[in-house]
Every structure is written in structure tokens, then in C-alpha cells.
Amino acid sequence: DAGVIQSPRHEVTEMGQEVTLRCKPISGHDYLFWYRQTMMRGLELLIYFNNNVPIDDSGMPEDRFSAKMPNASFSTLKIQPSEPRDSAVYFCASSLYPRAGGSYNEQFFGPGTRLTVL
Amino acid sequence: DAKTTQPTSMDCAEGRAANLPCNHSTISGNEYVYWYRQIHSQGPQYIIHGLKNNETNEMASLIITEDRKSSTLILPHATLRDTAVYYCIEGSSGTYKYIFGTGTRLKVLA
């Protein structure tokens, strides 16, 4: 398996522009997570989905942020309008729901998208 | 806020064991301890997890105290490639929210 795929790997945009980050989870995984990492705040969970349904979006910083998962193999994180303080590395991760007898939910992270908003 | 506390940084000589401590004094009965690491510019990578028994896999060993309030991740023979930030996380098997703290920045020295 190719692992979690994220695109683009790097994005530079100007303040006010719309930014869309993309993620393809590992095939068959039930959960998908979006994280943001900055020097100041570390690694923060923004939102996560189970079977394409958003379960917890309490980490989404503002209404400017939105996330969708139209099908099991694709998710987007959109920022509109973008601001310089949104500059960060955004990670997508996926995991498999523990099957009978299983105990843990190892999350597999993608390589991240480094976003710079000028 | 993160529910675990870890030292900010540690050094370890190459080939020696690296012992990374973590305090999780508020852990509840059904919460697992997970360890992840993040090598520079990459996404975090799962290492190991445990509930109350000591665990070992091909990457590391996890020692959990009997009261479960702390644990130690052991890399038995550290290499330069083990230089990374190591995160200790409490997580319930019923929820999937990881709260990452600041982690321990391990530097393996040649």
C-alpha cells in the first residue's frame, strides 16, 4: 500500500486566497484525521471522520476552515480566506477501527502539506 | 491540553539504550499509552502501545509502572536514525482523539 497520500506537498499562497488541501487515506481505513502543526502550538487535531461522517470538529479554529469527505478514499481541508497565521504543516492520518479482539487504533500519517500564506 | 508530561530533550550515545520517560498520572483504567515519533519534516510514526503490561516489538520496549501513572519507552540500541521527537499519548480505545504534547526531542550522538 502507498500509505496516506497528501497533496500538494507545498503550497504558497497570498492572504485572502482559498486553499484546498487533499488527502487519500489508506484503503479500507474507517477513520480519517486532519492535524495542524506549528512551532507555537505543536500538533493539534482539527477534525476527524468515521466512515466519511465528521465526528468531532471541535479543533477547527474558525469558520474559515472546512473539511469534507465525499467518499472513503478522499478528503479535503479548505481554508477560505487564508491568513498568514494559517501557515503550518497540515497532516492527514487514517486508521482502522479495531476489529473483534483488537485494542488499539494506530494512526498512519501522511507526509504533510507545508502551507505558507504570505 | 496534553495529559502527559515528558522531558523536553535528551541525548543518547549511538549504540546505547535510550530510555524516554513519560508521566501520565491522570490516566484512567481503559486508556492506553501510545508512543509515536516524528523524524524531522515527516509525519508522526507509531512505535508501540500498552495498557498495563510491558510490551515489546521490533522497534522498542514499553515499561508501564504498576500504578500506570508513568511509563518508559526503551530503544535498546539507539542509532542516528532514531533522532526524532518522541510523543507519549493517552488514548482510550473508545475515542480516537490524540492530544499531542510537546514530546521529548531525542538526539542520538555518534
Side-chain angles (χ1 to χ4, degrees):
Chain A
D1 199 318
V4 175
I5 299 172
Q6 293 188 245
S7 64
R9 294 293 310 277
H10 302 272
E11 176 80 34
V12 180
T13 190
E14 293 189 347
M15 183 174 62
Q17 296 298 306
E18 178 180 296
V19 175
T20 299
L21 311 181
R22 296 172 176 80
C23 175
K24 176 179 170 56
I26 293 173
S27 177
H29 278 194
D30 306 283
Y31 286 82
L32 184 138
F33 308 82
W34 282 101
Y35 291 86
R36 177 174 69 175
Q37 186 170 36
T38 62
M39 288 293 293
M40 290 294 295
R41 300 178 64 88
L43 200 56
E44 306 172 278
L45 177 65
L46 301 177
I47 184 172
Y48 76 93
F49 296 81
N50 175 218
N51 291 326
N52 314 335
V53 176
I55 301 301
D56 187 335
D57 65 355
S58 59
M60 296 286 263
E62 299 172 33
D63 291 345
R64 298 184 297 106
F65 286 69
S66 62
K68 294 182 179 180
M69 192 165 185
N71 58 62
S73 60
F74 182 66
S75 177
T76 60
L77 178 67
K78 185 177 295 186
I79 308 172
Q80 167 62 21
S82 59
E83 297 183 2
R85 59 193 168 121
D86 301 331
S87 297
V89 180
Y90 291 81
F91 290 103
C92 176
S94 68
S95 72
L96 190 62
Y97 184 78
R99 301 305 184 217
S103 63
Y104 70 100
N105 53 313
E106 174 187 352
Q107 294 187 17
F108 295 82
F109 284 76
T113 294
R114 181 173 296 276
L115 173 66
T116 302
V117 183
L118 303 174
Chain B
D1 291 346
K3 297 185 285 184
T4 62
T5 56
Q6 301 175 253
T8 302
S9 63
M10 294 180 65
D11 291 341
C12 177
E14 188 178 22
R16 305 297 294 268
N19 297 286
L20 293 89
C22 177
N23 287 325
H24 32 81
S25 57
T26 61
I27 196 168
S28 60
N30 66 344
E31 288 186 324
Y32 288 80
V33 178
Y34 297 87
W35 284 83
Y36 282 71
R37 74 179 183 185
Q38 186 174 24
I39 296 171
H40 182 61
S41 299
Q42 298 181 21
Q45 174 193 24
Y46 166 84
I47 301 172
I48 199 167
H49 77 285
L51 183 61
K52 54 184 175 181
N53 297 322
N54 297 339
E55 302 288 345
T56 295
N57 63 19
E58 65 278 4
M59 290 182 69
S61 295
L62 176 61
I63 307 298
I64 302 174
T65 59
E66 193 169 340
D67 63 6
R68 303 209 320 121
K69 293 186 183 302
S70 65
S71 62
T72 300
L73 178 75
I74 300 172
L75 308 178
H77 305 287
T79 71
L80 298 178
R81 290 177 297 178
D82 292 322
T83 293
V85 178
Y86 288 76
Y87 297 98
C88 165
I89 304 163
E90 291 180 18
S92 167
S93 61
T95 69
Y96 296 87
K97 291 184 68 169
Y98 284 168
I99 300 176
F100 284 82
T102 54
T104 295
R105 187 172 297 276
L106 175 69
K107 182 183 290 186
V108 180
L109 306 172

